[in-house]
Amino acid sequence: MTSATGENFESLDAMIVRSAEATAANVRAAKAGIGQVIFGQEAVVERTLITILSGGHGLLVGVPGLAKTKLVETLGTVLGLDARRVQFTPDLMPSDILGAEVLEEGAGGRRSFRFIPGPVFAQLLMADEINRASPRTQSALLQSMQEGHVTVAGVRHDLPKPFHVLATQNPLEQEGTYPLPEAQLDRFLMEIDVDYPDRDAERRILFDTTSAEETKPKAVMTADDLAAAQRLVRRLPVGESVVEAILTLVRSARPGPDAGAFSKFIAWGPGPRASQSLMLAVRARALLDGRYAPSVDDVVALAEPVLKHRMALTFAARADGETVPGLVAKLAAKIG
């Protein structure tokens, strides 16, 4: 009886391990599939995948023409998600995103309201140039990003699962834009910088996108596979040294005694949501690398994209030429 029970436990453990290995293989295959279409943006692809595996939302910052839109379209295809795109403009209204109720006349002349869902009812929403919309429209995304549902005319409407927002911003052209408030920036798990590709990557882009046969993305995962991967991320064990590194890093990014000599540079810093985001992100990065436990190196690698949009420098620090990424790098070096 005892040996049979032991065998059952062993077979259960083996099933869990096989399931985890299959999920990790799916995630790595998805990364490779995206890399066949998006060239020269390995760090951007990795951080975007980490954001989605963590169950969060990402803010992509870069000048036009760096394949931000194509990246989101490719992610939707490769991950098997229903992806939609909204181009944000100053005249965009909240109902253009969330949806609206319309009055319909049915049989016998009876009238009733029917809700028509907006583009936010997707599994992957691209909010293109989010800072071009008015604050009223920007705030329409807040409830959906944080709570997974929207309220229209007092009625709750649940969003599909999984649900992720990938928003883009142009860092150069700020005329006629509405900077995102700190409360909404904090909803983004990461701020991901999209930079120019290197020479070899741009050569590949030239040939692939201007030839008769352009490489098309293929579905590698399904929404259910992604949900399984997100559950696995939350189950990965985290060592005490990694937990301490996260706490030390986030707390040192706030004004106060934990920041030490850097306190005078920081106007305000990240809250506990940053610690939560970093905890999930390091697990997702480990899974993406085929590891089943994160390390302190993961904390150092993800410190900048997780923290930099959640803190601000004092005027004196900016006058001295200090930058948020530079300060985060110094704080991360202390734990690395």
Side-chain angles (χ1 to χ4, degrees):
M1 186 74 178
T2 305
S3 63
T5 305
E7 289 175 4
N8 288 338
F9 277 126
E10 288 176 6
S11 61
L12 182 61
D13 288 341
M15 286 173 58
I16 293 172
V17 170
R18 282 197 301 271
S19 175
E21 289 174 345
T23 300
N26 282 340
V27 169
R28 291 194 295 274
K31 182 181 179 182
I34 296 167
Q36 292 176 356
V37 180
I38 306 295
F39 308 128
Q41 300 287 4
E42 288 81 7
V44 174
V45 170
E46 179 185 84
R47 290 175 178 181
T48 307
L49 268 176
I50 288 171
T51 299
I52 292 178
L53 287 171
S54 302
H57 313 287
L59 183 63
L60 301 169
V61 180
V63 299
L66 296 182
K68 297 187 295 295
T69 301
K70 189 171 185 178
L71 171 61
V72 179
E73 291 173 352
T74 304
L75 275 167
T77 302
V78 171
L79 298 179
L81 302 178
D82 173 25
R84 299 183 190 179
R85 176 176 176 267
V86 178
Q87 182 67 49
F88 279 60
T89 57
D91 60 348
L92 196 73
M93 300 297 292
S95 58
D96 296 328
I97 301 172
L98 305 182
E101 287 193 326
V102 296
L103 186 62
E104 287 188 332
E105 188 170 334
R110 184 176 179 181
R111 295 181 177 180
S112 60
F113 284 100
R114 181 170 69 90
F115 177 67
I116 300 179
V120 76
F121 286 84
Q123 293 172 319
L124 182 63
L125 176 68
M126 180 177 187
D128 210 355
E129 293 193 279
I130 189 173
N131 57 331
R132 292 207 169 278
S134 67
R136 182 182 178 192
T137 303
Q138 290 174 3
S139 65
L141 278 178
L142 271 176
Q143 185 182 22
S144 61
M145 290 171 65
Q146 185 64 25
E147 301 176 23
H149 66 262
V150 300
T151 304
V152 177
V155 179
R156 169 176 165 158
H157 301 276
D158 291 326
L159 296 170
K161 293 182 180 180
F163 172 72
H164 303 280
V165 173
L166 293 177
T168 70
Q169 276 192 176
N170 177 358
L172 300 179
E173 192 179 359
Q174 298 299 317
E175 187 175 348
T177 63
Y178 302 86
L180 292 174
E182 287 75 14
Q184 186 153 358
L185 281 173
D186 198 31
R187 261 64 178 187
F188 289 101
L189 187 136
M190 280 194 206
E191 181 182 312
I192 304 166
D193 287 333
V194 185
D195 209 345
Y196 296 107
D198 60 29
R199 189 181 185 89
D200 291 337
E202 195 159 357
R203 181 186 293 273
R204 289 186 65 191
I205 292 169
L206 285 177
F207 283 104
D208 187 78
T209 58
T210 62
S211 63
E213 297 293 329
E214 185 177 348
T215 305
K216 300 291 184 183
K218 298 177 182 177
V220 174
M221 296 174 65
T222 65
D224 290 338
D225 292 333
L226 177 59
Q230 290 173 340
R231 288 194 296 270
L232 178 59
V233 165
R234 289 180 172 269
R235 291 184 178 130
L236 292 185
V238 181
E240 187 62 28
S241 61
V242 176
V243 175
E244 288 300 317
I246 291 172
L247 288 171
T248 300
L249 176 64
V250 175
R251 294 183 67 84
S252 66
R254 302 168 185 163
D258 289 327
F262 296 115
S263 181
K264 61 183 179 182
F265 297 144
I266 305 170
W268 53 269
R273 189 179 281 127
S275 305
Q276 296 169 329
S277 298
L278 202 48
M279 188 80 155
L280 288 170
V282 296
R283 286 167 162 163
R285 187 174 190 264
L287 182 65
L288 205 56
D289 286 347
R291 294 177 282 116
Y292 295 104
S295 67
V296 175
D297 290 340
D298 295 316
V299 180
V300 174
L302 296 176
E304 182 186 326
V306 172
L307 295 182
K308 67 180 177 181
H309 60 295
R310 292 182 162 103
M311 56 189 299
L313 302 182
T314 61
F315 176 78
R318 296 197 303 272
D320 288 343
E322 192 68 65
T323 64
V324 171
L327 181 58
V328 172
K330 293 174 184 176
L331 296 174
K334 292 170 65 178
I335 65 167

